[in-house]
Amino acid sequence: MDSDLEVLPSVESLTKRAAQHFVALAAAAIDDHGRFAVALSGGTTPKQLYACLAAPEWLACVLWPQVDVFWGDERCVPPAHPASNYRTAREALLEHVAVDPERVHRIHGEDEPDAAASAYEHELRAAFATPAGPPRLDSGARFDHVLLGMGDDGHTASLFPHSPALHETARWAIAGAAKAEPRRRVTLTLPVLNAAADVTFLVAGRVKAPALARVLEGRRDPDDLPAQLIAPQNGHLHWLVDADAASQLRRR
Ligand code: 6PG
């Protein structure tokens, strides 16, 4: 794994940089193996990225019919629920681009969580032609791009501190529980996330500064700081952060 940190002066410049990165990865993946498999993040930070990619000047920059859209995690709510990560991305991005609806692979938050996790794993395995066994690292058989956020407690996706999901080594998706409502979640697991070709954290805001400093420069404590567990085996890890989130980092 190689990793890098980019500190952008504002959320606006962070958003533009993330959009440039998304577009570049999509073009490279489609050129290499004919499709771009991306896992979108939940939460509020990526909303500006989704709106940017849906803007007229960016709309044609991605060959959307060649994109397979997944999510890193989902809240166990119906798809029209305000807290749904699917709804957030649908409204801000997917309704505005020429993505093939058959290639939008949402997690069924309306279903019983364990069943939704199993169904999602089945869909992932089909998309990556890996009917059994661990995720593969071959180009085209894994995520080309995974977008992740980070909570102010160091969680990412729905991998929360001290949760059993942190130690899952076989299943690709698993049901979990958050402290904040909606508590029931479904999340990708570390084997899938760490098989990706590119994992990019988008972190913004002063509220994230203490956790970001602990994750990047503090003692290794992955059970308490799950974001420390993200380490693509044969891929790139990028931290795209704004100056506020980076304000407690020693290195810049
Ligand atoms: C979710 C996300 C979660 C999020 C972080 C940061 O479903 O909420 O997967 O991991 O990325 O909590 O959220 P914000 O971007 O809202 O700060």
Side-chain angles (χ1 to χ4, degrees):
M1 170 191 85
D2 70 55
S3 68
D4 69 83
L5 165 73
E6 281 188 66
V7 180
L8 288 304
S10 65
V11 174
E12 292 70 27
S13 55
L14 170 65
T15 298
K16 187 174 177 189
R17 181 72 191 89
Q20 290 167 339
H21 189 52
F22 187 104
V23 166
L25 289 172
I30 291 167
D31 184 50
D32 178 67
H33 46 269
R35 74 103 180 264
F36 178 54
V38 59
L40 300 180
S41 171
T44 56
T45 305
K47 282 183 181 175
Q48 293 192 51
L49 168 60
Y50 301 157
C52 177
L53 291 169
E57 60 272 28
W58 289 88
L59 210 49
C61 296
V62 174
L63 289 174
W64 285 103
Q66 270 78 37
V67 179
D68 277 297
V69 181
F70 294 86
W71 278 260
D73 72 326
E74 186 55 278
R75 292 84 179 274
C76 294
V77 295
H81 190 285
S84 164
N85 289 335
Y86 161 77
R87 173 176 166 175
T88 299
R90 176 173 58 77
E91 290 182 339
L93 175 58
L94 301 179
E95 285 176 346
H96 309 283
V97 296
V99 67
D100 178 348
E102 293 295 307
R103 301 181 76 163
V104 176
H105 311 273
R106 72 179 182 87
I107 300 169
H108 286 225
E110 68 276 24
D111 293 345
E112 191 279 324
D114 289 323
S118 299
Y120 193 52
E121 174 165 343
H122 184 75
E123 200 157 348
L124 282 161
R125 287 185 175 277
F128 294 143
T130 310
R136 293 187 288 139
L137 303 182
D138 314 277
S139 188
R142 60 181 179 160
F143 279 116
D144 299 299
H145 186 30
V146 173
L147 280 164
L148 290 176
M150 186 194 72
D152 58 11
D153 61 351
H155 83 260
T156 189
S158 283
L159 299 169
F160 294 98
H162 311 292
S163 75
L166 302 185
H167 307 288
E168 178 58 44
T169 57
R171 283 175 288 179
W172 290 21
I174 193 169
K179 288 196 183 76
E181 290 295 339
R183 292 188 76 276
R184 303 297 303 274
R185 308 284 179 100
V186 172
T187 186
L188 289 180
T189 57
L190 289 162
V192 183
L193 294 168
N194 285 334
D198 171 282
V199 180
T200 297
F201 277 97
L202 296 184
V203 185
R206 196 163 291 277
V207 70
K208 304 290 178 74
L212 188 66
R214 290 185 61 207
V215 167
L216 294 182
E217 298 177 342
R219 185 168 55 85
R220 182 154 177 80
D221 188 0
D223 222 39
D224 203 38
L225 298 167
Q228 288 183 336
L229 290 166
I230 303 299
Q233 289 170 268
N234 179 26
H236 306 281
L237 175 61
H238 300 277
W239 288 87
L240 296 183
V241 307
D242 75 348
D244 282 345
S247 58
Q248 295 189 15
L249 293 181
R250 290 190 302 277
R251 64 171 173 152
R252 281 306 184 97

